[in-house]
Amino acid sequence: PPPRMAACTQTCSLVLRPATRLGHHGRCVKRRGINPGTRRVVVPNAASTEATAEGDATTTTTACKKTHTIVVFGANGKTGKRCVSTAARAGATVVACTRAGDFNANEFGLQSELVNQITPKQGDVSKASDAQINEIVKGASAVVFAASASQSGGTPEQVDKNGLIKVARACIAQNVKRLVVVSSGSVSKPLSPVYVFLNFFGGVMRAKIEGEDAIRRMYVSRENCAYVIMRPGGLTEDPGRGASAMELNQGDEKSGRVSREDVAALCVAAAMSEESVAKNATFECYWSDTANDLSDVGVSNMLGAFSGDQDAKDKKTGKERRGDTWVDLLAGLESDVPGEAQQGWGPSL
């Protein structure tokens, strides 16, 4: 076996800004001419992170070796920024794409060596050209699409549908091995209460499912590229509970609540997993103790008052998945029928 590389201990000065990059092969580099008062940090080497089964603690070991490179679109969003910090803690080099090209890497209390694994970059999926998106994802091992429509960031049609298609097209062109998409539970059920409620906001649910279905068509017979589409339940700002608190499902028949932290952890696990894990799969995710039939998940869930229903917990779809680790949860998920649309019947804006 090759000799183990010694940990790099040199401390260097670096400014975290869009132009900042790591040195070749992750070696420490210096940037001269730093203005007084600029934060001095350590240029990181690749970090390998092991999380506890509950996912609520991490132990990081640093060594000079190549890591995953994960591009996150929507990196300033509530879920996207958690994807960035989680990926950095997991040892990945992260490109944080935002509309303006800025990213506050200190928000989550990351150590300086982890901060320098994050490169902010301008990447507005509603406005960037195909060529610009291609350049952003070039060389990435995975892309996480956590962008969504907002008052200042484009319409659902521009972001959740066409923006996703644009990013997927670039991933295929650049042979990015995995595209992880954050969609929404109930997105394939136009008659469900959650769909009806959320779709009033500019038709966002229709845009999401049309974006999903476009991805399924685009990835038919792609040998070196795959997608993972996750549909979280009602998103909360609560601390993450970890993998053992989660339930995954397929078929869009059940939902519940889940924290953004746990969704981010699942995104990163999917992005860094082996090619065969959750390949071309679509699934729902929620805390197991909040599980309910989709028809009964309504406004109370979105307001955080939902605690689950015992009858719904006992009622099985046959596709529930539990596990002690994120990879355990993802292992064994069924792949989608290639190219088959999942948009359900019903009126939609």
Side-chain angles (χ1 to χ4, degrees):
R4 296 183 65 181
M5 301 183 71
C8 180
T9 58
Q10 182 181 0
T11 301
C12 311
S13 299
L14 190 69
V15 179
L16 183 62
R17 59 187 182 187
T20 298
R21 294 186 182 274
L22 297 180
H24 187 54
H25 297 309
R27 296 194 181 101
C28 297
V29 297
K30 294 184 179 180
R31 187 182 298 276
R32 298 181 179 178
I34 297 177
N35 295 326
T38 300
R39 178 183 174 129
R40 298 177 67 82
V41 294
V42 179
V43 178
N45 302 302
S48 61
T49 301
E50 295 181 355
T52 63
E54 292 75 25
D56 57 0
T58 57
T59 302
T60 304
T61 303
T62 303
C64 291
K65 63 181 180 180
K66 187 177 180 181
T67 66
H68 292 267
T69 298
I70 299 176
V71 176
V72 179
F73 287 96
N76 269 342
K78 292 180 179 180
T79 301
K81 61 186 178 183
R82 288 171 169 82
C83 290
V84 172
S85 65
T86 302
R89 293 182 193 277
T93 298
V94 190
V95 179
C97 292
T98 66
R99 292 193 302 273
D102 60 329
F103 181 80
N104 179 13
N106 297 312
E107 181 176 350
F108 292 94
L110 297 175
Q111 296 177 353
S112 56
E113 63 267 24
L114 298 183
V115 168
N116 273 287
Q117 289 170 214
I118 302 168
T119 300
K121 186 169 288 188
Q122 187 171 17
D124 186 341
V125 299
S126 69
K127 297 178 180 178
S129 66
D130 285 346
Q132 289 171 324
I133 299 295
N134 269 269
E135 185 62 28
I136 290 171
V137 306
K138 185 177 181 180
S141 56
V143 168
V144 175
F145 188 91
S148 192
S150 65
Q151 290 184 344
S152 58
T155 66
E157 183 84 4
Q158 292 171 328
V159 179
D160 298 82
K161 180 183 177 181
N162 294 333
L164 174 57
I165 292 171
K166 189 185 301 182
V167 168
R169 192 159 51 226
C171 287
I172 292 170
Q174 297 300 325
N175 290 315
V176 176
K177 293 192 176 296
R178 180 147 294 198
L179 170 62
V180 180
V181 180
V182 181
S183 184
S184 174
S186 81
V187 72
S188 70
K189 309 293 185 181
L191 298 179
S192 66
V194 173
Y195 185 109
V196 172
F197 177 80
L198 292 178
N199 205 50
F200 276 113
F201 298 93
V204 65
M205 297 296 271
R206 180 173 180 175
K208 284 183 181 293
I209 189 60
E210 290 180 350
E212 279 192 19
D213 284 343
I215 299 305
R216 295 184 187 94
R217 293 191 298 270
M218 294 169 68
Y219 276 80
V220 172
S221 300
R222 301 289 177 184
E223 293 295 330
N224 300 317
C225 305
Y227 66 82
V228 179
I229 298 174
M230 60 182 65
R231 297 168 169 171
L235 293 165
T236 79
E237 301 296 314
D238 298 324
R241 297 186 188 177
S244 61
M246 298 286 288
E247 181 173 281
L248 306 190
N249 218 318
Q250 294 185 279
D252 213 7
E253 298 292 342
K254 292 173 69 176
S255 191
R257 287 164 46 215
V258 63
S259 72
R260 295 180 187 275
E261 284 188 10
D262 283 335
V263 172
L266 197 54
C267 283
V268 173
M272 299 178 73
S273 291
E274 297 293 331
E275 181 180 355
S276 60
V277 176
K279 182 178 181 180
N280 295 340
T282 300
F283 62 89
E284 297 77 53
C285 56
Y286 45 86
W287 287 328
S288 59
D289 64 356
T290 68
N292 207 340
D293 288 334
L294 199 63
S295 59
D296 296 326
V297 178
V299 176
S300 60
N301 188 18
M302 289 174 275
L303 294 177
F306 183 66
S307 60
D309 180 84
Q310 188 60 47
D311 291 338
K313 296 189 193 80
D314 295 337
K315 182 180 179 181
K316 303 297 183 182
T317 66
K319 296 186 177 181
E320 288 83 0
R321 293 203 60 79
R322 303 278 185 91
D324 290 330
T325 71
W326 301 112
V327 176
D328 287 344
L329 283 169
L330 293 166
L333 286 168
E334 296 180 7
S335 298
D336 296 335
V337 177
E340 184 174 290
Q342 295 189 14
Q343 184 173 21
W345 180 89
S348 181
L349 295 176

